[in-house]
Amino acid sequence: MNTTEVLDIFRSAGAVLEGHFILTSGLRSPIFLQKARVFMHADKTEALCRALAEKIRAEVPGRIDYVVGPAIGGLIPAYETSRHLGVPAIWVEREAGTFKLRRFEIEPGARVVIVEDIVTTGLSIRETIECLRDLGAEVLAAACIIDRSAGKSDVGVKLVALAEYEVPAYPADQLPPELAALPAVKPGSRNI
Ligand SMILES: O=P(O)(O)OC[C@H]1O[C@H](OP(=O)(O)OP(=O)(O)O)[C@H](O)[C@@H]1O
Ligand SMILES: O=C(O)c1cc(=O)[nH]c(=O)[nH]1
Ligand SMILES: [Mg+2]
């Protein structure tokens, strides 16, 4: 599946939103990919995650013990991708703002792949890697449905992206006037 096909699925679900959005990194953007509107459809999610699992298999050598999804956005794609990889899916979630593996135990040396929905700056994946390495896991790679940085974000491990779609994002004090004129909304769950 190529970037055009991935974006067609997002557009068919009404998931490409236009406005003034506050991203999890604090950056502001005129475009927000509301993945939840894709993941509400099992058939669309299955098609995306099947393709992502194939790309992971092709690009990440060796045994995978767990797929790890950063909550909330990573929960559904990690689960569906894990089904195609034939391995269990677990997740990290925020406790006082920091990602923790609250509900599971993994053995030291466990070989894991992180599966995210969207990458913008890579911050959420880097936070997930820190949590997993503190537990002794070996993070083989990270994967995502759409990389909004189009390969520019450094997540600290290999990043397998099903699609690369470069979207503008600005620091809050450097907004273009047309963006500053719109009320800002923050769709994600960080700090809630
Ligand atoms: O690469 P980054 O700059 O970290 O941005 C991408 C992250 O932002 C979103 O999560 P968010 O914290 O907004 O909450 P959500 O998972 O509940 O959507 C998305 O799910 C990624 O985890
Ligand atoms: O950077 C983000 O927070 C972000 C961007 C985006 O398009 N979609 C999303 O869920 N999060
Ligand atoms: Mg997220």
Side-chain angles (χ1 to χ4, degrees), residues 23-24 32-33 35 118 120 148:
L23 306 181
T24 197
F32 191 81
L33 302 170
K35 63 289 174 109
I118 310 288
T120 299
R148 291 179 41 134

Coordinates of all heavy atoms in Angstrom, one line a residue, residues 23-24 32-33 35 118 120 148, ligand 2:
L23 N -0.8 20.2 18.7 CA -0.4 18.8 18.6 C 0.2 18.4 20.0 O 0.4 19.2 20.8 CB 0.7 18.7 17.5 CG 0.2 19.2 16.1 CD1 1.3 19.0 15.1 CD2 -1.1 18.5 15.7
T24 N 0.5 17.1 20.1 CA 1.0 16.6 21.4 C 2.4 17.2 21.8 O 2.7 17.4 22.9 CB 1.0 15.1 21.4 OG1 1.1 14.6 22.8 CG2 2.2 14.5 20.6
F32 N -5.0 18.1 10.9 CA -5.0 17.1 11.9 C -5.5 15.8 11.3 O -6.6 15.7 10.7 CB -5.8 17.5 13.1 CG -5.6 16.6 14.3 CD1 -4.4 16.7 15.1 CD2 -6.4 15.5 14.6 CE1 -4.2 15.9 16.2 CE2 -6.2 14.7 15.7 CZ -5.1 14.9 16.5
L33 N -4.7 14.7 11.5 CA -5.2 13.4 11.0 C -5.9 12.7 12.2 O -5.2 12.2 13.1 CB -3.9 12.6 10.6 CG -3.1 13.3 9.4 CD1 -1.8 12.6 9.2 CD2 -4.0 13.4 8.2
K35 N -7.2 10.0 13.4 CA -7.1 8.5 13.2 C -8.3 7.7 13.7 O -8.6 6.7 13.2 CB -5.8 8.0 13.7 CG -5.5 8.1 15.2 CD -5.3 9.5 15.6 CE -5.2 9.6 17.2 NZ -3.9 9.9 17.6
I118 N 0.4 7.8 14.4 CA 0.9 9.0 13.6 C 2.3 9.4 14.3 O 2.4 9.3 15.5 CB 0.0 10.2 13.7 CG1 -1.5 9.8 13.4 CG2 0.5 11.4 12.9 CD1 -1.7 9.6 11.9
T120 N 4.8 12.7 14.4 CA 5.0 14.1 14.0 C 6.5 14.5 14.4 O 7.3 14.6 13.5 CB 4.0 15.1 14.7 OG1 2.7 14.7 14.3 CG2 4.3 16.5 14.3
R148 N 4.1 12.1 9.6 CA 3.9 13.5 9.1 C 5.2 14.3 8.9 O 5.2 15.4 8.4 CB 3.1 14.3 10.2 CG 1.6 13.8 10.3 CD 0.9 14.6 11.4 NE 1.2 16.1 11.4 CZ 0.3 17.0 11.4 NH1 -1.0 16.7 11.5 NH2 0.7 18.3 11.5
Ligands
LIG2 O1 1.2 15.5 16.4 C1 0.2 15.1 16.8 O2 -0.1 15.2 18.0 C2 -0.9 14.5 15.9 C3 -1.0 14.9 14.6 C4 -2.0 14.3 13.9 O3 -2.2 14.6 12.7 N1 -2.8 13.3 14.4 C5 -2.7 13.0 15.7 O4 -3.4 12.1 16.1 N2 -1.7 13.5 16.4

